[in-house]
Amino acid sequence: MSNRIGARDMALLPRTACTYSPPVMEARRWLDGVTFPPERPLINVSQAAPVAPPPEALRRAVAEAAMHEPQAHLYGPVLGLPDLRAEVAAQWSATYGGSIMPAQVAITSGCNQAFCAAITTLCAEGDEVILPTPWYFNHKMWLDMSGVRTVPLPAGAELLPDPDHAAALITPRTRAIVLVTPNNPGGVEYPADLTQAFYTLAKERGLALIVDETYRDFDARPAAGHDLFHDPDWADTLIQLYSFSKAYRLTGHRVGAMVAAPARLAEVEKFLDTVTICPNQLGQIAALWGMRNLGQWLAGERDEILDRRAAIHDNMPKLAGHGWQLLGCGAYFAYMAHPFAMASDQLAQALVREAGILLLPGTMFRPENDPQGARELRVAFANLDRAGIDTLFDRLAALRWPLVPTHDSA
């Protein structure tokens, strides 16, 4: 994945040629031609997406809508169904302790589209956006394709970015700072005071603060992760993004949300109308039904993810003695430093063959010239139960340099 494309070169290339191939798709190609014996099946921890279907009751609600609501098959409002926008506004106001109106909510075709729409309303060619590293690669890809310069903000201890460092990176072309919390790929939950410090910085410097909370439903904290909506003028600075994909297992339905000022959503509407016209109607019906009926079920999902997070910590002693480090853990992710001489992009491919493990290398989450990526690996553990996590760590612990196949029983 080469990022070495200069500004002059980018001006001469088609937009998609200005960035790298989708990392998850690249990783899937590593499976080509590899067979996995029954006693050691593939452990796929490459993608942060639940593979189980939604609860049966939700599926029935979608089926009923598909059969009996003719309008569910037509174009809908560009900014989403009014009932879903109102439900998000009401639940967010209660959760965050602020005032959010339906007119400040847009429904999008997934959270990725919400990010793309936000950037399109903020940036012109040559503008800059500050992105903490390790970053979510789709954010970087869209900035590349938009002609926007990504300004890396290296995370410090515990994978937390520093607002003072961010302040030093701001130039006249800076338009936004992006935070993902709980973080992808690092898993860490940004403390409320840290998020507030970034908000204050953005507000003082006239920037947008984009806060992607795709994984907020699996935050270990009992209350909301921040109180940014307490500011009555939050809409002047804050753009919050969310995904229904993880909470209700609606990945294929593509339903996300953006919370922002109505004036910004008027600009967002232009983007959405030309890209998808409207979000998926059945997906929105599913999201609304889930918000109204699956609170207890979602609490159980959160408890299960928190238990799997605990299982990661419980298993780390198996690796710590061999030089591995757990850099961050939370939501769907464990982000680790490996002890091998091989760079992580090569190691990740070797792990498919030698250990039957598919995961992503840290090189996919950092600039090409950042040497830390060569030592890092991301594990997306949401689809592994405790027994699966035990097996994953047993396989990793059995690896030695030079790498040789493991022979554990799965």
Side-chain angles (χ1 to χ4, degrees), residues 2 5 9-11 13-20 140 144-145:
S2 176
I5 302 175
D9 295 327
M10 290 178 68
L13 291 172
R15 300 296 355 154
T16 56
C18 295
T19 196
Y20 39 78
K140 174 64 165 63
D144 290 346
M145 288 188 284

Side-chain angles (χ1 to χ4, degrees), residues 61 135 182 386:
W135 53 42
R386 269 190 170 263

Side-chain angles (χ1 to χ4, degrees), residues 163-187:
D164 291 334
H165 190 176
L169 298 175
I170 295 172
T171 76
R173 298 304 300 266
T174 306
R175 297 293 174 262
I177 302 170
V178 179
L179 302 180
V180 182
T181 177
N183 186 253
N184 179 5

Side-chain angles (χ1 to χ4, degrees), residues 101-143:
M101 306 302 294
Q104 295 170 315
V105 178
I107 306 303
T108 59
S109 297
C111 192
N112 269 8
Q113 189 185 66
F115 178 81
C116 297
I119 292 299
T120 304
T121 71
L122 287 165
C123 297
E125 188 94 9
D127 282 342
E128 300 173 356
V129 170
I130 295 174
L131 223 58
T133 58
W135 53 42
Y136 172 44
F137 42 68
N138 282 159
H139 287 172
K140 174 64 165 63
M141 292 174 70
W142 182 250
L143 295 175

Side-chain angles (χ1 to χ4, degrees), residues 234-258:
W234 65 263
D236 295 338
T237 302
L238 179 62
I239 301 173
Q240 189 224 32
L241 312 181
Y242 176 71
S243 171
F244 298 94
S245 296
K246 320 304 180 184
Y248 305 115
R249 302 178 185 168
L250 296 174
T251 53
H253 289 278
R254 312 308 305 127
V255 193
M258 178 192 301

